[in-house]
Amino acid sequence: MLPYKIVKHDQHHLRGGYFLVDFDSAPKIITNLLDHLKRDIDIIRSSVLRHRIEQTEECIGIIPVNYIEELQEKKKKKK
């Protein structure tokens, strides 16, 4: 059931389904994609949302620790 009546292609629509597609594309493709979707009689309403990906810092990894050397140093300090 749609939240309200939508008129598209000279038809009144009360029922419909929703779907979400997550995709990556160049920004210049969006105009042609929306134009194609508007001409499709099976699609009542379409929209494209931009999802910004925040820049993340690259992980430098875990620095390995030589536990044997650490234990030997602690033993030397205790003596």
Side-chain angles (χ1 to χ4, degrees), residues 4-33:
Y4 51 89
K5 180 174 65 172
I6 297 176
V7 178
K8 185 73 173 204
H9 303 293
D10 296 326
Q11 294 181 352
H12 298 273
H13 300 277
L14 299 173
R15 296 177 56 95
Y18 295 88
F19 65 93
L20 174 69
V21 178
D22 186 12
F23 65 97
D24 293 326
S25 74
K28 62 183 180 181
I29 294 174
I30 302 302
T31 305
N32 291 336
L33 174 67

Side-chain angles (χ1 to χ4, degrees), residues 15-79:
R15 296 177 56 95
Y18 295 88
F19 65 93
L20 174 69
V21 178
D22 186 12
F23 65 97
D24 293 326
S25 74
K28 62 183 180 181
I29 294 174
I30 302 302
T31 305
N32 291 336
L33 174 67
L34 286 172
D35 184 50
H36 181 76
L37 293 174
K38 286 179 183 174
R39 288 185 273 130
D40 191 334
I41 61 172
D42 293 327
I43 298 176
I44 299 170
R45 179 166 295 156
S46 63
S47 64
V48 175
L49 303 176
R50 182 178 180 184
H51 176 68
R52 292 182 183 229
I53 300 175
E54 296 182 19
Q55 296 290 337
T56 57
E57 292 183 20
E58 203 171 297
C59 179
I60 59 173
I62 299 173
I63 300 170
V65 177
N66 190 341
Y67 292 107
I68 297 172
E69 286 180 9
E70 278 189 20
L71 288 173
Q72 289 173 350
E73 287 178 20
K74 286 183 181 179
K75 284 181 182 179
K76 287 180 185 176
K77 288 181 183 179
K78 286 184 179 180
K79 289 182 180 181

